[in-house]
Amino acid sequence: MPFTKPLPTYLVQRYHGWKATTYDENKSWYRRLADEGQRPRAMVISCCDSRVHVTAIFGADQGEFFIHRNIANLVPPYEPDGDHHGTSAAVEYAVTALKVAHIVVLGHSSCGGVQGCMDMCTGDAPELEEKTSFVGRWMDILRPGYEMVKDIADPKERVRALEKRSVVTSLENLMSFPFVKEAVDAGELTLHGLWNDIGEGGLEQYDGKGFSPV
């Protein structure tokens, strides 16, 4: 493929540094993971945002979390229509194959995807309304949530409320998956909603009614 290029030098250097230190010091652990397969206890659905460092927040090691990232940490409703569904596929694999005990939906502050949804709903991002916009059509999942926060006077609080609404929407949509509901009803799976304040390092959890600090 003529359009591919070698890795940037800084990434190559970082890889060799990791291989010579972290990997070399934990070689047996990595080989065990390779030989025995993964057995993560939890799935984490988080945003693609580079500032959201899931493993660092929870001090997780390799093999501990099954992580799926997408724009605005959204889970679509259950739609077995034969189309491509990356997030739904990840949820299915985590629940039915890996048998995770927890699914954590992790939202965050200053989410660009949520801001895009807000702009789209207020008419400030007509490009996202185009059928050809992957981001816009993905943010349609959150569009009903805008109606629940649009009357909040303070713009910053309005966006923050929609960020948290993205978490709740995903939790609600997870329960539309038959295999998720079955596992939850059987006591084999629990769902958790979190929101991370990046600047303050804060973490809030959803209790079914609202968010409060962990």
Side-chain angles (χ1 to χ4, degrees):
M1 296 183 182
F3 52 83
T4 62
K5 301 293 183 182
L7 274 176
T9 302
Y10 79 96
L11 289 180
V12 173
Q13 292 174 339
R14 288 184 183 183
Y15 161 70
H16 286 296
W18 170 82
K19 186 72 182 296
T21 54
T22 303
Y23 174 80
D24 195 61
E25 294 166 3
N26 300 277
K27 191 178 299 184
S28 60
W29 171 244
Y30 283 100
R31 288 179 175 172
R32 180 179 173 183
L33 285 175
D35 293 340
E36 298 181 7
Q38 61 171 324
R39 295 185 179 86
R41 289 187 293 176
M43 175 184 193
V44 179
I45 300 171
S46 67
C47 185
C48 294
D49 195 303
S50 61
R51 298 167 296 177
V52 181
H53 199 339
V54 176
T55 54
I57 290 173
F58 297 106
D61 291 325
Q62 284 85 351
E64 191 171 349
F65 287 160
F66 183 71
I67 300 175
H68 177 75
R69 305 182 74 143
N70 63 40
I71 299 296
N73 43 267
L74 287 170
V75 175
Y78 178 69
E79 293 179 328
D81 55 13
D83 285 341
H84 300 121
H85 293 282
T87 296
S88 300
V91 171
E92 179 184 15
Y93 187 73
V95 176
T96 64
L98 297 178
K99 307 291 185 183
V100 295
H102 310 278
I103 297 180
V104 179
V105 179
L106 177 62
H108 69 96
S109 62
S110 304
C111 180
V114 171
Q115 182 64 58
C117 182
M118 182 72 71
D119 293 340
M120 181 174 67
C121 292
T122 56
D124 295 326
E127 69 278 6
L128 295 182
E129 294 285 11
E130 298 293 332
K131 290 184 178 180
T132 54
S133 173
F134 294 112
V135 172
R137 303 294 60 75
W138 182 249
M139 297 316 299
D140 282 341
I141 299 170
L142 185 57
R143 189 188 288 266
Y146 169 75
E147 297 299 319
M148 304 179 71
V149 306
K150 66 179 182 180
D151 294 329
I152 297 176
D154 185 276
K156 291 183 179 180
E157 288 303 318
R158 192 185 314 130
V159 173
R160 181 159 293 194
L162 191 57
E163 289 168 354
K164 294 178 179 179
R165 192 66 216 168
S166 74
V167 174
V168 178
T169 295
S170 291
L171 293 172
E172 293 172 346
N173 286 344
L174 278 168
M175 288 298 288
S176 71
F177 288 74
F179 47 85
V180 171
K181 187 177 187 303
E182 181 180 344
V184 170
D185 291 345
E188 299 169 351
L189 175 68
T190 57
L191 307 183
H192 311 270
L194 300 174
W195 178 82
N196 171 226
D197 186 325
I198 294 175
E200 298 297 326
L203 193 65
E204 298 182 14
Q205 61 182 341
Y206 182 64
D207 62 6
K209 297 180 180 179
F211 286 79
S212 58
V214 173

